[in-house]
Amino acid sequence: MATDPRSPAAGLQGSRCSGCAVTVYPAEDTCPRCGEPADPAALQGTGTLWTWTVQRYAPKSPPYQAPPGGFVPFALGYVELAEGVRVAAVLDLEDLDDIRIGMPLTVAAGPGVPRARPTARGEEGT
């Protein structure tokens, strides 16, 4: 049984086109640009914040169901990885006012949308 490319056990798995060399996340069997076959590619997982927004209001219900503690605002952004791929991720930061375009982040796969946190010193390029 193959590992789900979005599972935490798989790391951040994308794919790279065998024809035009474009890299995408999540992994695809064929290239979205040229249609050639694509091969699995482990993505580095470090990059910089390209853009972001803060969700300050709970979504309409249904289908949304508030968690037991109630809705808590959160940030969602696109992180541009070293491979040139932009990955949508929830931004795990203590203070939403600290978010800045260009800040170094580390992205990890998880259940649902990937999550990004500030990159620790010495972690760049891993």
Side-chain angles (χ1 to χ4, degrees), residues 58-59 61 63-71:
S61 183
Y64 175 76
Q65 294 180 3
F71 176 79

Side-chain angles (χ1 to χ4, degrees), residues 40-64:
L43 302 177
Q44 190 168 302
T46 57
T48 57
L49 186 59
W50 185 70
T51 194
W52 60 279
T53 189
V54 175
Q55 176 67 37
R56 296 192 189 277
Y57 303 97
K60 291 185 178 184
S61 183
Y64 175 76

Side-chain angles (χ1 to χ4, degrees), residues 3-91:
T3 303
D4 180 346
R6 295 185 199 195
S7 79
L12 202 58
Q13 296 293 310
S15 58
R16 187 168 293 111
C17 177
S18 59
C20 69
V22 71
T23 302
V24 298
Y25 177 86
E28 305 228 356
D29 292 333
T30 57
C31 176
R33 180 182 289 164
C34 71
E36 291 293 316
D39 299 315
L43 302 177
Q44 190 168 302
T46 57
T48 57
L49 186 59
W50 185 70
T51 194
W52 60 279
T53 189
V54 175
Q55 176 67 37
R56 296 192 189 277
Y57 303 97
K60 291 185 178 184
S61 183
Y64 175 76
Q65 294 180 3
F71 176 79
V72 176
F74 64 93
L76 180 71
Y78 277 96
V79 180
E80 186 165 23
L81 302 180
E83 295 87 355
V85 178
R86 292 182 186 140
V87 175
V90 172
L91 306 179

